[in-house]
């Protein structure tokens, strides 16, 4: 009995996974005018380092890794030419800062993960799944500002995100249900009907957010929805469904099913993660801040392992690569 009690009282190990592009994009658009002494843009980099230092102080992770998109088509682009087709091209100033952010990760002893044909979300999902299977005792927190990653939330996975200004929020299962009215696993089903303008996922045109939420709350999943309405004896009036909604669903079944595929995060990306203790050398951290003139960030880390030289602690993963 005493042994069980002592185990419960031990601090649970924690892995934080950085959704690098989501953090960098948000930071870039939040501080577009920030530059270094040479006039080079640094807003995205400031936000990235600030987020990492905040994570270290607020979440105190034992392990950390960063997942990046690559500037190449993914399996979603190959399946659907217009995937993310509504987004404008990435600004050159942001591209430059994304490239530099790889150096920041290496300087802060953060392993980098990329995979051709997959998005960062798929890497996050794959690593989260691997941790659940191999290290279920370790809590996984995904740092992102993207609703998509919330579908990965379960008993061992949470999502940590920045809200307006400098406010943060931690989403677990109950928080997702409270905000959206459905569970994390139902997010792809919801998007298969509501669509997603940011990714140019069509869904079922004409139904919208409210209608999609009501359908998922009532039928649970896209599959169960169609299994129900395609029965010969289905009466949409008796089911409380408007005729227009019924017709839209029938006419757009293929689009809805395809939208669900696009909205679902893969968990089979070709990456392998094993926990590596996160050790940051204070000298390296300060040098990075000084490189960009971020004086206000120099003392953000509350504690350091000052006697651990970077060369000795940095262990690059097999998936680490600079595009």
């Amino acid at each position: 009995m005493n042994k069980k009690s002592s185990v419960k009282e031990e601090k649970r190990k924690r892995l934080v996974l950085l959704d690098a592009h989501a953090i960098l994009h948000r930071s870039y658009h939040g501080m577009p005018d920030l530059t270094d002494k040479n006039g080079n843009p640094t807003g995205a980099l400031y936000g990235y380092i600030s987020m990492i230092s905040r994570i270290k102080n607020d979440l105190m992770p034992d392990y950390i890794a960063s997942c990046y998109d690559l500037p190449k088509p993914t399996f979603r682009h190959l399946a659907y030419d217009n995937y993310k087709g509504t987004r404008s091209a990435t600004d050159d100033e942001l591209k430059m800062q994304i490239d530099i952010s790889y150096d920041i990760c290496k300087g802060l002893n953060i392993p980098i993960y990329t995979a051709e044909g997959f998005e960062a979300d798929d890497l996050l999902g794959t690593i989260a799944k691997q941790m659940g299977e191999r290290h279920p005792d370790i809590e996984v927190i995904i740092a992102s500002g993207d609703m998509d990653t919330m579908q990965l939330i379960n008993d061992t996975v949470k999502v940590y995100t920045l809200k307006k200004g400098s406010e943060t929020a931690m989403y677990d299962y109950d928080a997702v249900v409270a905000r959206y009215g459905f569970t994390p696993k139902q997010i792809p089903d919801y998007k298969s009907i509501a669509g997603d303008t940011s990714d140019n996922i069509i869904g079922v045109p004409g139904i919208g957010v409210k209608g999609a939420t009501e359908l998922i709350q009532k039928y649970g999943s896209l599959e169960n929805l169609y299994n129900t309405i395609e029965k010969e004896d289905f009466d949409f009036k008796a089911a409380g469904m408007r005729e227009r909604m019924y017709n839209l669903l029938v006419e757009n079944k293929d689009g809805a099913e395809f939208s669900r595929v696009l909205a679902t995060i893969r968990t089979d990306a070709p990456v392998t993660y094993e926990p590596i203790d996160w050790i940051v050398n204070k000298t390296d951290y300060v040098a990075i801040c000084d490189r960009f003139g971020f004086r206000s960030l120099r003392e953000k880390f509350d504690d350091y392992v000052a006697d651990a030289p970077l060369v000795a602690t940095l262990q690059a993963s097999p998936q680490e690569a600079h595009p």
Side-chain angles (χ1 to χ4, degrees):
M1 181 181 238
N2 290 335
K3 287 184 179 180
K4 288 184 179 180
S5 176
S6 63
V7 170
K8 288 183 179 179
E9 291 174 0
E10 290 180 3
K11 176 183 176 292
R12 189 177 186 183
K13 296 283 188 176
R14 176 175 287 170
L15 163 67
V16 171
L17 298 175
L18 303 175
D19 185 354
H21 274 70
I23 298 170
L24 287 160
H25 273 262
R26 182 187 181 98
S27 301
Y28 173 74
H29 293 292
M31 293 176 282
D33 299 324
L34 191 63
T35 61
D36 64 16
K37 61 182 180 181
N38 297 317
N40 298 312
T42 56
L45 300 176
Y46 182 92
Y48 196 45
I49 297 174
S50 180
M51 184 68 161
I52 293 171
S53 65
R54 185 164 193 165
I55 285 169
K56 189 175 194 306
N57 293 332
D58 292 354
L59 304 181
M60 295 182 290
D62 301 278
Y63 322 105
I64 191 168
S66 189
C67 297
Y68 279 81
D69 294 326
L70 291 176
K72 298 178 181 179
T74 68
F75 72 90
R76 294 182 181 87
H77 294 93
L78 297 177
Y80 178 40
D81 289 341
N82 290 320
Y83 179 65
K84 294 189 177 180
T86 55
R87 296 190 184 187
S88 57
T90 303
D91 294 347
D92 289 339
E93 292 184 346
L94 176 55
K95 287 181 181 178
M96 179 176 66
Q97 292 180 78
I98 291 173
D99 289 342
I100 296 173
S101 73
Y102 279 75
D103 295 335
I104 290 174
C105 285
K106 292 174 181 176
L108 296 182
N109 206 10
I110 300 174
I112 299 166
Y113 284 78
T114 64
E116 286 193 20
F118 292 86
E119 294 182 61
D121 285 356
D122 302 311
L123 308 185
L124 297 168
T126 299
I127 294 174
K129 181 183 179 183
Q130 290 174 1
M131 292 298 293
E133 294 172 346
R134 302 172 187 172
H135 305 281
D137 56 321
I138 297 177
E139 180 183 37
V140 177
I141 297 179
I142 297 171
S144 174
D146 195 341
M147 174 191 179
D148 291 343
T149 58
M150 293 185 188
Q151 66 186 266
L152 300 172
I153 291 174
N154 55 36
D155 291 341
T156 61
V157 179
K158 297 177 182 178
V159 170
Y160 175 83
T161 182
L162 279 174
K163 298 170 70 177
K164 291 183 179 180
S166 60
E167 293 182 29
T168 59
M170 183 75 78
Y171 284 89
D172 58 10
Y173 182 97
D174 292 337
V176 171
V177 173
R179 176 171 177 177
Y180 297 108
F182 43 78
T183 69
K185 285 186 177 180
Q186 292 173 310
I187 289 177
D189 296 283
Y190 161 77
K191 287 196 172 189
S192 70
I193 301 170
D196 184 347
T197 55
S198 66
D199 289 339
N200 201 29
I201 296 175
I202 303 302
V204 179
I207 290 186
V209 170
K210 182 179 179 181
T213 301
E214 292 173 350
L215 287 170
I216 295 305
Q217 288 174 337
K218 183 171 184 178
Y219 295 98
S221 68
L222 186 71
E223 181 181 15
N224 189 54
L225 169 62
Y226 278 105
N227 285 342
T228 302
I229 69 174
E230 289 181 335
K231 292 179 179 178
E232 291 185 9
D233 60 348
F234 179 73
D235 184 337
F236 63 81
K237 291 183 179 179
M241 184 182 291
R242 297 184 299 278
E243 182 176 8
R244 177 175 178 273
M245 178 178 284
Y246 172 76
N247 290 333
L248 287 171
L249 288 169
V250 171
E251 294 166 4
N252 293 278
K253 179 183 178 181
D254 289 345
E257 292 179 337
F258 184 53
S259 293
R260 192 186 187 287
V261 172
L262 294 175
T264 300
I265 292 176
R266 295 268 294 269
T267 57
D268 60 346
V271 297
T272 301
Y273 175 81
E274 283 297 333
I276 300 173
D277 289 342
W278 186 30
I279 302 173
V280 182
N281 176 265
K282 181 173 182 178
T283 301
D284 296 314
Y285 174 76
V286 171
I288 288 173
C289 292
D290 288 346
R291 172 181 171 182
F292 304 108
F294 298 156
R295 286 176 293 180
S296 63
L297 295 180
R298 291 175 95 250
E299 301 302 328
K300 285 291 185 179
F301 278 23
D302 286 340
D303 65 286
Y304 303 87
V305 178
D307 58 350
L310 179 63
V311 175
T313 59
L314 181 59
Q315 300 181 50
S317 71
Q319 286 75 37
E320 184 174 0
H322 194 302

